[in-house]
DNA sequence: CGGCTTTGACCGGCGC
DNA sequence: GCGCCGGTCAAAGCCG
């Protein structure tokens, strides 16, 4: 009987219980402003049905190779992300970071970033959903001809994982030491030029089908190159 | 002073 | 039915 009354103040200080009561009153005004994102989602706010929305949500996985010294979990893709959580999963001793798109509050896109268990120099970013707003860098950046980057401009490699959709691996490290890396077993598989050609074609076709994701990847590369430009001044 | 990151707790789903 | 685990929230702290 001791601890039982003690829970009252605990729940009082600890938010979500009381908060949930309040939240359902503003249920009607959710994105009453824009609404261009999911105009067809009028059936989903009934909240009762086991929504398959997250199943339909576009899930893209991007493997970004970074410097091993880079301990951060930040994947520069041109969008503005706000970190809202971090967890250590059983799957991987490295913590997984959770990001939301902070550029547009109504943007449903979420991003999970975790280092690969096998090769900790590889960041695996999982994007869920699609951006319902234009690319932030396009808004503020001048529409110069240099904006249209091609994936071929950087050393990149793609691997189509059969588990859950395409996995794009971007080697964003400096091109000089890319050969003697041999860090992951995937690098050995990438050795043959035919395989790389195959991967490039697969990646190209995959990206062609998904223009928004192509933009995101291009932005990621451009952002990284831009960073290198600032660092190395070339 | 405002915004972002960190961090611990809570919640819901799933497996046993 | 219980326990585990992934995902999310929100207060506190930190930085620009």
């Amino acid at each position: 009987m001791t601890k039982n009354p003690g829970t009252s103040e605990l729940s009082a200080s600890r938010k979500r219980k009381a908060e949930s009561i309040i939240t359902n009153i503003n249920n009607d005004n959710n994105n009453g402003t824009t609404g261009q994102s999911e105009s067809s989602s009028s059936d989903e706010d009934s909240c009762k049905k086991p929504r398959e929305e997250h199943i339909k949500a576009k899930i893209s996985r991007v493997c970004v190779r970074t410097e091993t010294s880079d301990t951060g979990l930040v994947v520069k893709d041109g969008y503005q992300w706000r970190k809202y959580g971090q967890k250590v999963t059983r799957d991987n001793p490295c913590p997984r970071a959770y990001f939301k798109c902070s550029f547009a509050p109504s943007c449903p896109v979420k991003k999970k970033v975790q280092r690969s268990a096998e090769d900790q120099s590889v960041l695996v970013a999982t994007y869920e959903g699609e951006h319902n707003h234009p690319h932030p860098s396009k808004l503020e950046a001048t529409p110069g001809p240099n904006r249209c980057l091609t994936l071929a401009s950087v050393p990149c490699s793609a691997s189509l994982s059969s588990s859950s959709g395409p996995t794009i691996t971007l080697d964003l490290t400096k091109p000089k030491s890319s050969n003697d890396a041999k860090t992951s077993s995937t690098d050995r598989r990438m050795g043959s030029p035919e395989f790389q050609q195959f991967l490039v074609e697969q990646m190209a076709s995959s990206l062609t089908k998904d223009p928004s994701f192509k933009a995101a990847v291009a932005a990621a590369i451009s952002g990284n190159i831009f960073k290198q430009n600032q660092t190395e001044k070339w």
Side-chain angles (χ1 to χ4, degrees):
Chain A
M1 39 186 82
T2 58
K3 70 267 300 186
N4 200 2
T7 56
S8 61
E9 64 173 335
L10 183 118
S11 65
S13 64
R14 214 60 238 169
K15 51 273 166 165
R16 225 138 76 173
K17 281 291 182 55
E19 204 72 38
S20 62
I21 303 174
I22 305 173
T23 43
N24 54 12
I25 59 176
N26 55 10
N27 199 3
D28 56 347
N29 74 352
N30 68 348
N31 81 10
T33 58
T34 56
Q36 78 276 15
S37 60
E38 337 177 35
S39 57
S40 63
S41 64
S42 57
D43 58 343
E44 59 91 15
D45 63 349
S46 305
C47 80
K48 198 61 62 66
K49 61 185 67 179
R51 67 184 63 191
E52 52 208 327
E53 184 181 357
H54 60 280
I55 299 176
K56 291 190 296 185
K58 184 181 294 294
I59 298 178
S60 305
R61 189 181 306 171
V62 180
C63 301
V64 181
R65 175 163 301 167
T66 61
E67 302 289 341
T68 8
S69 59
D70 184 9
T71 58
L73 286 173
V74 178
V75 177
K76 293 285 187 176
D77 56 3
Y79 289 96
Q80 190 172 355
W81 299 97
R82 182 175 60 86
K83 186 176 181 179
Y84 67 90
Q86 180 170 322
K87 265 292 203 193
V88 177
T89 60
R90 263 181 108 70
D91 217 18
N92 194 332
C94 300
R96 175 185 296 173
Y98 300 90
F99 295 90
K100 282 182 180 176
C101 183
S102 64
F103 181 75
S106 61
C107 184
V109 179
K110 286 180 288 188
K111 182 172 78 168
K112 290 181 284 190
V113 179
Q114 188 176 31
R115 292 191 176 273
S116 175
E118 295 180 357
D119 188 352
Q120 300 204 355
S121 65
V122 176
L123 286 175
V124 181
T126 305
Y127 295 86
E128 297 184 8
E130 295 181 86
H131 294 277
N132 58 7
H133 57 85
H135 198 283
S137 67
K138 287 182 180 178
L139 293 178
E140 55 192 32
T142 58
N146 290 333
R147 299 301 304 174
C148 49
L149 292 170
T150 58
L151 288 172
S153 61
V154 296
C156 61
S157 56
S159 62
L160 275 296
S161 174
S162 61
S163 60
S164 62
T167 301
I168 311 299
T169 302
L170 298 179
D171 191 347
L172 296 180
T173 55
K174 294 183 178 59
K176 55 183 175 63
S177 63
S178 61
N179 285 334
D180 55 357
K182 60 105 175 129
T183 50
S184 64
S185 61
T186 55
D187 281 340
R188 279 198 289 270
R189 294 207 319 238
M190 309 275 179
S192 71
E194 293 90 5
F195 186 70
Q196 287 193 5
Q197 180 66 29
F198 169 72
L199 291 176
V200 169
E201 289 180 0
Q202 291 293 329
M203 180 174 62
S205 63
S206 176
L207 294 177
T208 306
K209 294 175 185 174
D210 191 355
S212 63
F213 183 69
K214 180 172 64 177
V217 174
I221 298 167
S222 64
N224 189 281
I225 291 176
F226 183 68
K227 186 172 65 178
Q228 289 188 3
N229 285 349
Q230 288 184 327
T231 305
E232 301 183 356
K233 282 188 163 59
W234 62 282

